[in-house]
Amino acid sequence: MNATEMQVFVDATTHYFVQSTGLEAEVHAPYLSDATMPDVFDYTGVISVVGDFRGCIYFSAPRAMMRHLLVEMGEQNHSDDYLLDMIGEIANTLSGNARRHFGPEFIISVPVSLKGNLTDIRPPSDLRPYVVPVRWKSYRSVLVICVERGG
């Protein structure tokens, strides 16, 4: 992915936080990870990408951030099931916004939501992921983009 394509994901992330909470998130410059699987937090929403692209996108955040997001949104339910639904919805929203830019051949899966151990995430082994650090309030989270054209 080039810088312009990465900016699509950065803009989608910024837009999500403003629309959902009315508060901006600091979205830092993407960097190419040395790890095939960058560090993740308590909850992770994963989207697979196929079509003219291949790979996966995931958003990962700590439990405290997810609960604080729910508070900002006026939601009373903070159960694990609800937090898992929400992390999947965040990943789906960010990927869906990117799909609007890349077109109908950027085919995204339904989100898979995971808690804790992430042995189920298997990005293509020949791709190095880009990590987009996100800070909202005092919380750190990441958007990881492991996608290439020509799937």
Side-chain angles (χ1 to χ4, degrees):
M1 300 210 101
N2 63 38
T4 302
E5 292 169 332
M6 277 293 153
Q7 191 62 43
V8 169
F9 291 97
V10 169
D11 293 345
T13 304
T14 302
H15 181 75
Y16 173 83
F17 281 92
V18 169
Q19 287 295 111
S20 298
T21 69
L23 303 169
E24 285 192 26
E26 291 177 35
V27 181
H28 299 274
Y31 64 89
L32 194 55
S33 176
D34 290 334
T36 56
M37 179 67 185
D39 290 338
V40 294
F41 296 94
D42 301 321
Y43 294 92
T44 303
V46 183
I47 301 287
S48 295
V49 179
V50 297
D52 285 350
F53 296 79
R54 73 177 182 106
C56 68
I57 298 164
Y58 64 87
F59 182 78
S60 188
R63 179 180 178 82
M65 177 180 172
M66 296 301 297
R67 291 186 65 169
H68 201 148
L69 279 167
L70 290 174
V71 168
E72 289 290 334
M73 295 174 179
E75 180 57 55
Q76 301 298 315
N77 185 349
H78 297 177
S79 69
D80 275 343
D81 286 342
Y82 202 81
L83 292 169
L84 284 165
D85 286 346
M86 184 176 177
I87 197 78
E89 194 55 40
I90 293 170
N92 190 54
T93 299
L94 299 179
S95 300
N97 286 343
R99 185 176 192 272
R100 279 195 274 286
H101 173 81
F102 294 116
E105 291 305 314
F106 187 86
I107 301 167
I108 59 175
S109 70
V110 296
V112 173
S113 301
L114 304 166
K115 178 182 174 190
N117 188 352
L118 299 181
T119 57
D120 293 339
I121 299 177
R122 289 184 181 85
S125 61
D126 60 329
L127 297 181
R128 284 183 51 203
Y130 284 91
V131 178
V132 181
V134 179
R135 182 175 292 277
W136 180 76
K137 296 204 170 223
S138 63
Y139 305 105
R140 292 182 325 113
S141 58
V142 292
L143 174 64
V144 177
I145 304 154
C146 190
V147 175
E148 76 171 354
R149 284 186 183 273

